[in-house]
Amino acid sequence: MTASAENGLAAIINYLLFIMISPFVKYLLFIGLKFLKFTMIWPITKAVSIGPTKKCPPIRNQMLMLSGSSLAHKIRTKQVTCVEVVTAYINRIREVNQSLNAVVEDRFQEAVKEAQAVDSLLASNTKSEDIIASETPFLGVPVTVKESISVQGMSNNAARSNVSEHRADEDADVVRLMRKAGFIILCVTNTPELCLCWETFNNKTGRTNNPYNLKRSPGGSSGGEAALLGAGASVIGMPSDIGGSARLPAMYTGGFGHKPTPGYVSNRGHVPTATDTHWNNFFTLGPMCRFAEDLPPLLSCIIDDPLKVKELKLHEPVDLKKVRVFYAEDEGPNSITSDKMCTEMRGAMRRAIHHLKVKYGIEAKKVHIKGLEDSLELSAMIMLRMKGIPNVFQKSENTPDEWNSVTLEILKRITCLSSATLPSILYAPAKCVADRVSDDYYKTMLLRKRDIMDQFQELLGNTGVFLYPTFPYPAQYHYQIFYNLMNTSYLAIYNVLEMPVTACPLGLNHEGLPMGIQVVGWQGQDRLTMAVSQALEKEFGGWIPPPE
């Protein structure tokens, strides 16, 4: 491909991206995706769905039904041995992974040895229970980690097609802190290539399935973590989130996923990372779990600075009767890109609102945040403008902004000669669009962002939460996300707004699939979103095992 041809293609893309700014063209794009849905993708996925629903084997070991905090208490008080707990989870992973395909690499032998060391320490009686609880609050509790987060000696490649293999030389900061808190790591879990999709599949490990229906997606990019959690094969997981990567999988599989306020949890040790100064504003690592009571202590464990833990007041109780609640059921009347919540999801949110009123006397207020209707545009344009993000086009591993021919790689993909996955290929055209919009337009986007943040700060302050859809529907069949991409704006906008969010389950729908919402707070108010999630867990059951 000659330079002039490349420039010509760039000019065409530039023009197309320019006209896409208009609401009319965005509406046409929305119609186009719907056309794609009903003429191509939907018939294929519907055909695949024909036949009996496939699910995971039922949970037989009741030890798997306990929270991480409860397990830690039972281990340090010698009600159960650490080896028993770790072995139970190893056996469950082995039982379900043949159906889920969630594990990239395990460290079961090392985990058993570490569990034996914990039991030896407890048998020595050299430390009191109180000291153990203070120094290592999750002593002996098994945990799983997303493969893109480095665990020393383990695979840490994020399924990159242009890098054959990469093993972590050292632990990521969050992994180091989890070990310090007493966690025992069992395995690293599957993710799409470069974490660039809301569906978890790649050309190295393959596709991960949803434990509530193996024909459905567990979401992405933390789908491996979510699949194990939903199946009861993990109690606590460590995902990452830059566009809902922890929250969508959590909702799809019935668990809790928390995106912390940026700046509290270190992102060091994640693949991919970026050199852009805004990366750590939008990208976060945070806890995913089956039981809401684990959220505050887990978040405390993975924050290295005690002063920052104190700032978040994670150990202080929340008086729910003093929490103000606001909500919205969609992006607003002027949104032309996203779908509305399906009937069952909307009903679940309304039952949650009713429960908060009856139980705590909270009169939730429906509000419209001006500008949320532009969530898709804001999220895409602002985050895609970041520089230094690893991709499949870069010339070398250390030069993410120096690319090989995009056109050639796309042609290779069309002719089935490329090993890269489609979402990682599509990053380039999207990046080209964002980079080619004018600086004035980009500044306008930043001003809109600031306006929305100001509205939220004034509305929520230090005492309010905002209930909002996670996604319009429960778990979709595999690959249906491709005609539902615009609905991910419900998630990605809060990465751009730099606000803490907890994905909270709200029971199962008529097909036995998890439903849920997002509980959003203003910056630094993570404890409020977690507290409201804990309150809703008591009413709706929180994580509910996949129906037999």
Side-chain angles (χ1 to χ4, degrees), residues 3 26 56-57 78 89 122 171 175 177 199 206 243 267 269 282 340 351 422-423 431 456 473 513:
K26 284 194 292 185
C56 283
K78 302 176 188 176
Y89 272 96
L122 294 172
D171 287 338
V175 173
L177 292 169
E199 167 93 58
N267 294 327
F282 305 147
K340 311 296 183 184
R351 288 193 297 275
L422 179 61
K431 173 69 172 168
F456 269 121
Y473 321 105
L513 298 173

Side-chain angles (χ1 to χ4, degrees), residues 177-324:
L177 292 169
M178 292 179 81
R179 289 190 197 269
K180 182 179 177 182
F183 282 106
I184 294 176
I185 300 166
L186 299 182
C187 62
V188 291
T189 58
N190 204 24
T191 178
E193 184 172 12
L194 287 165
C195 304
L196 283 174
C197 191
W198 290 272
E199 167 93 58
T200 298
F201 71 99
N202 59 67
N203 292 331
K204 292 177 180 277
T205 309
R207 189 184 73 188
T208 299
N209 300 316
N210 191 311
Y212 290 81
N213 184 335
L214 299 177
K215 296 179 181 180
R216 294 181 183 263
S217 168
S221 62
S222 306
E225 281 300 296
L228 289 184
L229 284 162
S234 177
V235 63
I236 287 173
M238 183 51 57
S240 59
D241 192 311
I242 195 172
S245 293
R247 289 162 285 147
L248 182 66
M251 192 208 85
Y252 272 12
T253 57
F256 296 87
H258 183 71
K259 186 193 86 65
T261 301
Y264 287 89
V265 179
S266 169
N267 294 327
R268 194 186 70 83
H270 188 272
V271 175
T273 187
T275 58
D276 196 283
T277 55
H278 294 102
W279 174 258
N280 290 323
N281 295 79
F282 305 147
F283 177 82
T284 56
L285 304 182
M288 185 186 284
C289 54
R290 282 189 279 140
F291 302 92
E293 70 171 317
D294 290 332
L295 287 172
L298 179 52
L299 183 56
S300 297
C301 287
I302 58 175
I303 298 175
D304 207 4
D305 187 347
L307 292 177
K308 289 187 175 181
V309 176
K310 190 175 181 179
E311 281 179 20
L312 292 181
K313 303 177 182 178
L314 295 173
H315 300 299
E316 295 183 14
V318 174
D319 185 352
L320 285 168
K321 293 183 179 180
K322 295 181 180 179
V323 176
R324 297 174 301 118

Side-chain angles (χ1 to χ4, degrees), residues 28-44:
L28 289 180
L29 181 60
F30 177 73
I31 296 299
L33 284 173
K34 292 302 179 185
F35 177 78
L36 177 66
K37 167 183 176 179
F38 290 111
T39 59
M40 295 181 64
I41 301 178
W42 186 84
I44 295 173

Side-chain angles (χ1 to χ4, degrees), residues 162 389-400 402-404:
N162 57 348
I389 298 178
N391 57 82
V392 298
F393 303 97
Q394 62 193 76
K395 290 184 177 181
S396 71
E397 191 171 352
N398 298 320
T399 57
E402 295 181 17
W403 291 14
N404 292 311

